[in-house]
Amino acid sequence: MGAGHAHKLYRHGHSPVHALPPHCKLAAALAFVIVVVSTPRTAMWAFALYALLLAGVAAAARIPAAFLLKRLLIEIPFVAFAVLMPFVVPGDQIHVLGVALSRSGLWDAWNVLAKGTLGVAASVILASTTELRALLLGLQRLRLPPLLVQIASFMIRYGDVITDEMRRMSIARRSRGFEARGVRQWGVLGKSAGALFIRSYERGERVHLAMVSRGYTGTMPVIDEVTASRAQWRYAAALPVAALCICLLGWTL
């Protein structure tokens, strides 16, 4: 898969969670999210227990609370959407401090906030304990279509390259006295975006020709095979199994 690329989401460590094979963590995180989404929204106590489970995983991974909370800010757009739901969803209304709110909208907002926050938190913990290259190897181990894995690999590899190219173009514009102050400058920005697209496309063509000349036939060689023992699978399954028990209890109560 090539050399690994460190990402700011990853937090280097030597915890038991870091040591788990990536495909075990991917399967556990996906199963946990599915269980959370399947939980009835009225079982508010269940979501509190899910949060405690994730807090335990974060503690085992030695991830500081501030680190985790800072990266949860990515869900702010979903929070804003949820805040609007009690005002726009039709249904029976209740009055809170003189403001009319939809009862069903409040439940929908709670459903989005609770499940979305838990899903984002699980994803942040996964990204904080697994390098990007290891995640790609895990997806390949889980038999994700090879083409999708390769696309993700090149996106990660060349995302920083394209970003740096865009930064150099911005510096070149500013060195010539250009400043984007209004609509009149949109034409220049549009031309810059077009030039960036053409450069990226041409770079992709050159990279593809270089790969073909070195024997590329549609699949990338796997340098190191990642395997998992039964004990590691059981350790990873502890989170989704515990969440499943909570979910089943939530449906029966």
Side-chain angles (χ1 to χ4, degrees):
M1 302 297 294
H5 286 244
H7 194 274
K8 62 181 180 180
L9 276 178
Y10 177 71
R11 181 179 175 85
H12 183 73
H14 301 283
S15 70
V17 181
H18 284 80
L20 282 176
H23 51 288
C24 293
K25 289 185 280 188
L26 281 166
L30 177 61
F32 174 80
V33 171
I34 292 175
V35 171
V36 170
V37 172
S38 303
T39 304
R41 63 186 183 182
T42 55
M44 303 178 69
W45 57 269
F47 297 104
L49 293 179
Y50 293 149
L52 289 177
L53 287 176
L54 287 181
V57 175
R62 302 184 183 94
I63 301 176
F67 182 91
L68 182 60
L69 292 175
K70 182 179 179 181
R71 278 144 186 81
L72 285 178
L73 295 177
I74 194 175
E75 68 165 344
I76 287 180
F78 298 97
V79 174
F81 172 75
V83 169
L84 293 176
M85 297 182 75
F87 299 96
V88 298
V89 175
D92 297 335
Q93 293 187 342
I94 60 174
H95 289 79
V96 179
L97 300 177
V99 180
L101 301 175
S102 169
R103 190 184 302 272
S104 59
L106 287 172
W107 277 115
D108 291 341
W110 159 253
N111 192 50
V112 170
L113 281 176
K115 296 180 179 180
T117 300
L118 290 170
V120 173
S123 301
V124 170
I125 293 175
L126 174 64
S128 301
T129 58
T130 315
E131 293 182 346
L132 284 177
R133 176 175 176 274
L135 283 175
L136 294 175
L137 291 174
L139 292 174
Q140 188 169 345
R141 184 72 178 178
L142 292 174
R143 298 294 188 268
L144 195 75
L147 181 60
L148 295 181
V149 177
Q150 291 180 47
I151 291 174
S153 175
F154 286 116
M155 180 185 69
I156 293 171
R157 179 179 296 276
Y158 288 100
D160 292 337
V161 176
I162 302 302
T163 301
D164 188 62
E165 184 118 7
M166 184 170 58
R167 181 185 60 82
R168 291 198 300 269
M169 292 174 65
S170 177
I171 293 175
R173 289 195 304 269
R174 291 199 303 269
S175 66
R176 290 164 175 81
F178 174 81
E179 292 186 11
R181 296 179 177 177
V183 180
R184 295 181 178 179
Q185 285 76 33
W186 285 8
V188 177
L189 297 177
K191 293 178 181 178
S192 299
L196 180 64
F197 174 80
I198 293 175
R199 291 184 183 183
S200 303
Y201 180 82
E202 292 176 345
R203 182 188 295 272
E205 289 292 319
R206 293 195 301 269
V207 171
H208 179 260
L209 290 175
M211 292 171 61
V212 171
S213 66
R214 289 164 174 79
Y216 175 74
T217 58
T219 58
M220 298 291 288
V222 179
I223 299 176
D224 50 349
E225 187 71 17
V226 181
T227 59
S229 64
R230 292 184 179 180
Q232 288 174 321
W233 274 112
R234 287 195 297 267
Y235 187 81
L239 175 65
V241 169
L244 180 60
C245 295
I246 297 172
C247 179
L248 294 176
L249 187 60
W251 279 106
T252 55
L253 295 180

